[in-house]
Amino acid sequence: ANKPKRRRTPASTTNAGGRAMSGGAYEGFRPKLMGRTIVMFVDFQFEDMEVMYPKTRLEEEGAKVLICGIHEAPMKYTGKYGYPIASDVSIAQLDVNSVDALIIPGGFAPDFMRRSQRMLEVIVELNARRAPIAAICHGAWMLCSARQANGKPIICGRSATAFVAIRDDLINAGAYWSDAPVVVDGNLVTSRTPQDLTAFCHAIIKVVSLCGLRGR
């Protein structure tokens, strides 16, 4: 007699401990950033890991991550090491009222992005409502160039870190420098290099999860 075949459910597997997983997510996993929209500024020659790692981590936590560049979308940007990413929206099209948080990666991209007046205005607008803003490596340059109505950079009077080569830029902009893997000062999160990405992402997730939707 033929033995009955066992039915398999491809959408559900079992981990080493015997617990069922559905759709690739562990049973009981609760994403911390559901309903959040997080924008990431990019331009050519971005630091590859500083874009791809936070994007993946935040999406794992349920956030919608929008890649935003200066050029008309979709634009394919390539990182310092050749990794490509396409923009979802241009800065001219971005609805800042729909944004819960902003991430500014490093590499050479911030040297281009800081020339975009609209990108700087978005940073000022988000900071005014205390929405989380996270910058890593040379991304902190943007916090020096984004100036409030009183003419002071938004980093002025705030604690921060960045890649050591722009330490003087932050200090000259009025920041309190700290050589640490991650520095959190209210709504601002800053880190130094790709080696700090784990701490950087942990801090972003915590700060964004504690804020209400749309940074309020």
Side-chain angles (χ1 to χ4, degrees):
N2 294 329
K3 295 182 178 179
K5 293 183 179 180
R6 297 180 62 184
R7 297 182 62 185
R8 299 183 64 185
T9 306
S12 179
T13 57
T14 304
N15 65 13
R19 298 183 65 191
M21 299 184 293
S22 178
Y26 284 93
E27 180 185 10
F29 175 69
R30 294 183 176 84
K32 300 180 179 68
L33 303 179
M34 293 297 294
R36 264 65 171 188
T37 297
I38 299 176
V39 168
M40 183 179 290
F41 284 169
V42 297
D43 209 313
F44 294 103
Q45 295 292 295
F46 61 84
E47 174 58 54
D48 305 52
M49 286 293 291
E50 292 171 0
V51 169
M52 300 313 301
Y53 185 85
K55 181 178 186 294
T56 300
R57 272 300 287 121
L58 297 171
E59 288 175 340
E60 286 176 345
E61 294 293 343
K64 177 182 180 181
V65 179
L66 292 178
I67 302 299
C68 178
I70 298 171
H71 309 85
E72 184 177 350
M75 169 63 73
K76 187 178 81 170
Y77 294 98
T78 50
K80 288 168 56 179
Y81 303 104
Y83 205 96
I85 194 165
S87 60
D88 299 299
V89 63
S90 72
I91 190 62
Q93 300 168 322
L94 181 67
D95 176 12
V96 70
N97 294 317
S98 70
V99 177
D100 293 297
L102 171 67
I103 297 178
I104 309 170
F108 298 119
D111 197 27
F112 302 124
M113 298 189 298
R114 68 194 305 198
R115 306 175 203 183
S116 166
Q117 185 59 37
R118 183 55 190 151
M119 280 191 169
L120 299 180
E121 289 170 353
V122 167
I123 293 171
V124 172
E125 291 173 34
L126 290 174
N127 185 63
R129 61 176 164 92
R130 315 306 287 177
I133 299 172
I136 186 169
C137 199
H138 284 77
W141 257 344
M142 300 285 282
L143 308 182
C144 299
S145 297
R147 295 178 178 270
Q148 305 166 91
N150 61 10
K152 292 184 178 181
I154 69 162
I155 199 68
C156 183
R158 311 290 292 275
S159 296
T161 192
F163 184 59
V164 67
I166 65 169
R167 172 182 179 271
D168 289 347
D169 301 73
L170 267 68
I171 292 173
N172 290 335
Y176 299 111
W177 170 266
S178 178
D179 184 16
V182 64
V183 174
V184 179
D185 186 338
N187 65 311
L188 296 185
V189 178
T190 50
S191 278
R192 303 171 301 188
T193 71
Q195 283 69 38
D196 301 321
L197 277 166
T198 298
F200 183 60
C201 289
H202 284 170
I204 293 171
I205 292 166
K206 181 176 181 180
V207 172
V208 175
S209 66
L210 291 175
C211 287
L213 292 175
R214 310 300 171 250
R216 295 182 176 86

